[in-house]
Amino acid sequence: MMEEQIAIIDDFYKGYYFLTAKEKYELLINVFPKITQIANLGHIASMLGISQETLSRVRGK
């Protein structure tokens, strides 16, 4: 089970640095669909390497 989770995280970060903020958020939601119910938006923005304002704009579209 732990190997599966590590594989998921590894897939998430492959090519991550070349993605736009919107693409990063979409990837996060595809990999971890319930993340917004578990973590607050400040932590999500930090994980994605974007500001909370940018995250709010991306989520609003």
Side-chain angles (χ1 to χ4, degrees):
M1 182 175 203
M2 190 169 192
E3 287 179 10
E4 290 176 20
Q5 292 300 316
I6 291 172
I8 289 171
I9 292 169
D10 185 50
D11 287 342
F12 176 75
Y13 282 108
K14 286 182 181 173
Y16 177 77
Y17 295 105
F18 301 106
L19 300 177
T20 65
K22 181 179 179 182
E23 291 169 334
K24 288 179 184 180
Y25 181 72
E26 289 172 352
L27 177 61
L28 178 69
I29 296 302
N30 286 333
V31 175
F32 302 104
K34 296 182 182 182
I35 192 74
T36 56
Q37 297 170 358
I38 299 168
N40 70 40
L41 295 180
H43 292 140
I44 293 171
S46 177
M47 179 182 171
L48 296 176
I50 61 177
S51 69
Q52 283 186 288
E53 293 82 9
T54 300
L55 179 59
S56 293
R57 276 187 243 116
V58 168
R59 291 184 74 216
K61 292 181 180 182

